[in-house]
Structures are given as C-alpha cells and as structure tokens.
C-alpha cells in the first residue's frame, strides 16, 4: 500500500485506487486463461542479517520458472468438458521442476574440494531440509535456493517470504494503427500509473501550487479482490488516519478540533478509479443500450442505484464540469443492465469508513480479470489529463455548485 501527497492545503483531493498485481487469486479462478502461462515470481523476502536484524528485500524473477498446466482435453471427462471448475486445492500447484532435476541439483558440486564443500555446508543443509526452525523444513528447497541466488544470500539467511506469481509476457500495442494496449493487470495498474504520474506533474508545477488551498493525495490500496478488509485495504483505517495526521501536522499547534475535522471531511473528495467495462463488439447485449462506453472514448463514470459504486448526482456533475473547464472530451457513463450482475469498487467502502464524498470512474477496457486485458491507448492520455485537471479545478468547481 502507498499513500503519497503534495502540500500545501487544508482540504483533500484524493485519488484512491486498488493495486491488483497477483496473477493467480483463488477467489477469481472462473476460466482457464490463467493456466498454461509462463510465470515469474515477485514479492518480498525476509532476511536475517549478520547482526541478527531482519531486513526486507524485494525480488522479481522475470523468467518462466513456474507454470500451472491445464489438463489435456483428451483426459477430461464429459462432465469436466462442460465447464471449467478446477479444484482450488488440488489443481493450482505450479510446476517448478521434475523430481529428477530436483535431486540432481542437490548433488551438484560433489567434485568440489574439501574447502568448497565446507563453504557450502550451510546452504546444503537448507537445500536438504535439515534445518528445523518450524518454517524452513516446510518450504521447497529449490525455491529457497533460487531466491538466495537472485538476492546473493546464503540460504540460511532467508527466514520467510511473501511472493506472487505473474505472467512474464510483456505489454504490447495492438490493432492496425496501434490503438490498443494488450497487457496483464491493466485492472488496475493502469490507474495506479496515471494517478501517481498526475500527482508528480502537479507537484512539479510551481505556479499551480502557489495559490492552492488543497492537499493532493494518491492512495494505492491492497486486497481489493478479497474484500479490502485488512489493515492496508480500503475498508481499513489508513486513509482516515492519514487525513488526521496530515491535518494535525499542518495545524498551528498540532491539534485539530472535532469541528475542524468534520469541515475537512465535508470539503474533501475521493476519486475512486478502477477500470470500467468497455462495450464488447461480440457481446453488445451485455451493456445497457444507452450506456455503452467505447475504448479510446475517454474515462467512464460508473453508476449503480444499489450503491455498488459511490457515484451520485453531485459527484458525477463535479467531474463532468471539471472535464468541461479543462476543455477535455466529455466523460462517458456506464450503468449495468437491470438483468445483469454488477461488480463493485473501493469507492463505497471509503465513503462508509471516512464520510468523504466519492465518485467511481475508470478507463474503459475489455477482458477485465483475464490474464491479458485490452484498453485504448488514447484513454491513457485522456485519463492522465483528467486526473491532473481534478487536482487543478476541483475546488473552484465544488464551490460553484449549490449543495
């Protein structure tokens, strides 16, 4: 999770985003697109230093070391062919190596000198699983060895890790005129990039900051796809705590009264940005006929009468007016069909937890939650412009509306 902000100001303009990065989430295995992909490993490794202190080291192994292989169709039963329904316990284990090569790797170096063998003694203990600390003996020795090699550590230095798998295929431009971006994790790393870039460019704009009375903030949350109910999820206390602590730091005496806090909450605003569903040319009937966002048509306001999205009449009007004053193309709108289900975002969670007004918006895309998603290249540009305009024009637009 990341909370970044730019000063000066009294009230908050916040872009909040869930940063989804893991390729395989067992709560979201609904088709086979995540199988038979070349997978790398990334995350953090906890390491014990020579002094005994525990350090965190980031790791990214950007090569195909793992794969979750599907069952060949010839071996599937008639019932299995009707629908994709893997057992999450039995069928999602990635393949790292064969037993033969695993055994071979443990016997490599048998011709080393006595000195070299002694130098490898501790590492070999870790490989063979003879270390008994309640954790190491339950880990895959080859994976521990690989992490140690990547980080240039001794195997026995590693005391824990937190890793995710990812598809190593790079993003690509697509279409005859390169008007599409094909990539993994566009939902929601595209919004993360746009928000951070907008904040950086606005903070670098001295003229914009000179007369500003608001605080520009970007919050990147974890755990949205598993409910957001964690210390670093949108249902947690992080945003409220950040608002309180920043407000106190900027106050004259370091204290903020209850009335002052209420005023800050009332005048602040959250732009919750999660990708939106673009009209699919092969499944046009899945969209409500009057609300069919197009890729390369600009950002999308998302509405839902059951409060699956946080948008209301006022918050939608504010963002449309910001786009107008910045001379940007009109924003698009999305409302799910009455006979279809509807996803949700972190917008309603943030409003419930903090009381801050919110809107849900996003860039339109196809194939949401697939291993490879598609969005328009122009929407990245228009999204960045809208985020920057939000930081620039929100206060004057908000004060012009009778609320």
């Amino acid at each position: 999770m990341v909370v970044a902000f730019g000063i000066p100001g009294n009230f908050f303009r916040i872009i909040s985003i869930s940063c989804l990065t893991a390729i395989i989430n067992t709560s979201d295995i609904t088709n086979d697109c995540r199988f038979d992909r070349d997978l790398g490993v990334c995350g953090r490794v906890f390491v014990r230093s020579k002094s005994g202190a525990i350090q965190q080291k980031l790791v990214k192994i950007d090569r195909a070391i793992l794969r979750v292989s599907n069952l060949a169709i010839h071996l599937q039963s008639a019932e299995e062919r009707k629908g994709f329904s893997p057992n999450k316990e039995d069928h999602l284990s990635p393949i790292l190596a064969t037993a033969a090569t695993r055994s071979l790797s443990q016997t490599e170096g048998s011709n080393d000198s006595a000195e070299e063998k002694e130098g490898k003694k501790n590492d070999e203990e870790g490989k063979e699983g003879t270390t008994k600390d309640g954790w190491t003996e339950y880990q895959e020795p080859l994976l521990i060895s690989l992490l140690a090699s990547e980080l240039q550590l001794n195997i026995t230095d590693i005391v824990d890790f937190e890793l995710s798998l990812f598809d190593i295929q790079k993003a690509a431009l697509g279409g005859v005129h390169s008007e599409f971006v094909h990539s993994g994790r566009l939902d929601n790393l595209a919004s993360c990039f746009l928000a951070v870039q907008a904040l950086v460019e606005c903070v670098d704009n001295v003229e914009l900051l000179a007369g500003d009375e608001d605080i520009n903030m970007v919050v990147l949350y974890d755990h949205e796809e598993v409910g957001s109910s964690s210390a670093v999820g949108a249902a947690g206390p992080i945003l409220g705590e950040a608002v309180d602590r920043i407000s106190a730091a900027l106050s004259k005496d370091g204290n903020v009264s209850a009335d002052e806090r209420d005023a800050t909450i009332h005048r602040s605003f959250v732009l919750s940005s999660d990708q939106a569903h673009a009209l699919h040319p092969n499944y046009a009937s899945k969209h409500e006929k009057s609300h069919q966002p197009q890729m390369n048509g600009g950002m999308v306001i998302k509405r839902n009468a059951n409060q699956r999205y946080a948008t209301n009449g006022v918050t939608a009007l504010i963002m449309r007016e910001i786009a107008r004053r910045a001379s940007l193309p009109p924003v698009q709108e999305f409302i799910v069909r009455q006979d279809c289900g509807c996803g949700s975002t972190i917008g309603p969670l943030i409003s419930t937890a903090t009381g801050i007004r919110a809107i849900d918006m996003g860039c339109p895309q196809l194939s949401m939650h697939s291993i490879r998603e598609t969005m328009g290249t122009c929407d990245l540009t228009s999204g960045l412009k809208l985020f920057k305009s939000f930081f620039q024009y929100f206060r004057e637009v908000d004060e012009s509306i009778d609320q």
Side-chain angles (χ1 to χ4, degrees):
M1 178 178 181
V2 177
V3 178
F5 59 94
I7 295 174
N10 299 309
F11 310 111
F12 292 81
R13 295 181 294 236
I14 305 165
I15 299 179
S16 63
I17 300 168
S18 61
C19 43
L20 313 179
T21 56
I23 174 179
I24 295 182
N25 181 336
T26 56
S27 68
D28 195 34
I29 302 295
T30 56
N31 56 55
D32 62 358
C33 69
R34 287 169 169 76
F35 285 63
D36 301 321
R37 305 295 298 190
D38 297 337
L39 306 179
V41 173
C42 62
R44 57 180 175 174
V45 179
F46 298 91
V47 177
R48 193 186 309 280
S49 66
K50 291 182 179 179
S51 67
I54 305 298
Q55 301 174 336
Q56 296 185 43
K57 293 184 178 292
L58 299 180
V59 65
K60 181 184 180 184
I61 304 175
D62 199 3
R63 60 183 189 273
I65 63 168
L66 291 161
R67 174 176 280 244
V68 181
S69 293
N70 213 336
L71 181 65
I73 191 170
H74 315 80
L75 304 180
Q76 296 176 12
S77 66
E79 190 66 27
E80 288 172 330
R81 294 182 189 184
K82 290 181 180 179
F84 183 74
S85 56
N87 183 291
K88 295 177 181 179
E89 178 65 26
D90 297 336
H91 301 153
L92 296 183
S93 295
I95 298 171
L96 179 65
T98 63
T101 58
R102 180 177 183 274
S103 177
L104 180 63
S105 70
Q106 293 176 352
T107 59
E108 285 178 351
S110 58
N111 295 323
D112 289 342
S113 66
E115 249 182 36
E116 290 172 325
K117 288 181 179 179
E118 181 64 24
K120 294 180 179 180
K121 182 179 178 181
N122 288 338
D123 284 359
E124 289 303 318
E125 286 179 354
K127 286 183 182 179
E128 293 167 7
T130 56
T131 301
K132 302 294 184 182
D133 60 5
W135 180 81
T136 305
E137 60 266 33
Y138 297 106
Q139 309 308 315
E140 169 51 53
L142 280 182
L143 179 58
I144 296 287
S145 180
L146 178 64
L147 294 172
S149 175
E150 289 290 323
L151 297 173
Q152 298 183 341
L153 302 168
N154 293 324
I155 291 175
T156 51
D157 294 338
I158 297 176
V159 296
D160 209 334
F161 53 71
E162 192 173 66
L163 304 174
S164 295
L165 308 182
F166 67 96
D167 183 8
I168 65 171
Q169 184 178 354
K170 306 301 182 184
L173 294 177
V176 174
H177 302 293
S178 297
E179 59 187 307
F180 306 118
V181 178
H182 306 313
S183 178
R185 304 176 298 282
L186 290 174
D187 177 51
N188 200 28
L189 295 187
S191 297
C192 293
F193 167 74
L194 295 178
V196 172
Q197 185 65 28
L199 180 63
V200 169
E201 293 186 19
C202 287
V203 170
D204 285 342
N205 189 329
V206 178
E207 293 182 2
L208 179 61
L209 289 179
D212 202 352
E213 63 179 45
D214 288 342
I215 297 169
N216 297 329
M217 177 183 288
V218 170
V219 185
L220 309 182
Y221 289 102
D222 292 328
H223 302 152
E224 193 254 354
E225 286 305 322
V226 291
S228 295
S229 296
S230 70
V232 291
I238 291 291
L239 179 55
E241 291 176 353
V243 168
D244 290 344
R245 295 177 67 182
I246 295 170
S247 299
L250 296 178
S251 66
K252 292 181 179 180
D253 58 1
N255 295 311
V256 178
S257 69
D259 286 344
E260 289 172 330
R261 186 186 187 281
D262 290 345
T264 296
I265 294 298
H266 176 72
R267 298 192 64 187
S268 297
F269 191 96
V270 170
L271 194 170
S272 168
S273 183
D274 203 349
Q275 296 285 90
H277 295 292
L279 179 69
H280 195 306
N282 297 337
Y283 299 91
S285 62
K286 292 294 184 179
H287 274 67
E288 203 276 330
K289 62 182 180 180
S290 299
H291 300 87
Q292 300 186 339
Q294 306 284 333
M295 286 190 294
N296 289 316
M299 290 197 75
V300 180
I301 293 175
K302 298 185 283 188
R303 299 175 183 264
N304 183 262
N306 295 320
Q307 293 299 298
R308 302 288 286 175
Y309 303 131
T311 307
N312 61 34
V314 173
T315 59
L317 174 59
I318 287 173
M319 291 309 302
R320 291 203 309 273
E321 183 65 12
I322 287 173
R324 188 189 70 80
R325 295 195 186 191
S327 299
L328 299 177
V331 294
Q332 304 184 86
E333 300 240 0
F334 171 76
I335 298 177
V336 72
R337 285 174 54 107
Q338 297 300 316
D339 56 356
C340 288
C342 179
S344 187
T345 68
I346 61 176
L349 295 176
I350 293 172
S351 285
T352 300
T354 65
I356 301 176
R357 295 171 292 168
I359 186 173
D360 276 299
M361 299 186 69
C363 294
Q365 71 161 76
L366 298 178
S367 306
M368 190 176 292
H369 291 194
S370 177
I371 195 69
R372 296 286 287 181
E373 301 171 330
T374 296
M375 68 178 294
T377 54
C378 293
D379 292 327
L380 290 168
T381 301
S382 59
L384 177 59
K385 289 180 178 178
L386 185 62
F387 283 175
K388 290 165 62 178
S389 299
F390 168 65
F391 287 144
Q392 182 174 358
Y393 294 108
F394 167 74
R395 182 54 55 203
E396 67 177 65
V397 169
D398 189 43
E399 292 181 346
S400 72
I401 297 176
D402 181 11
Q403 300 182 47

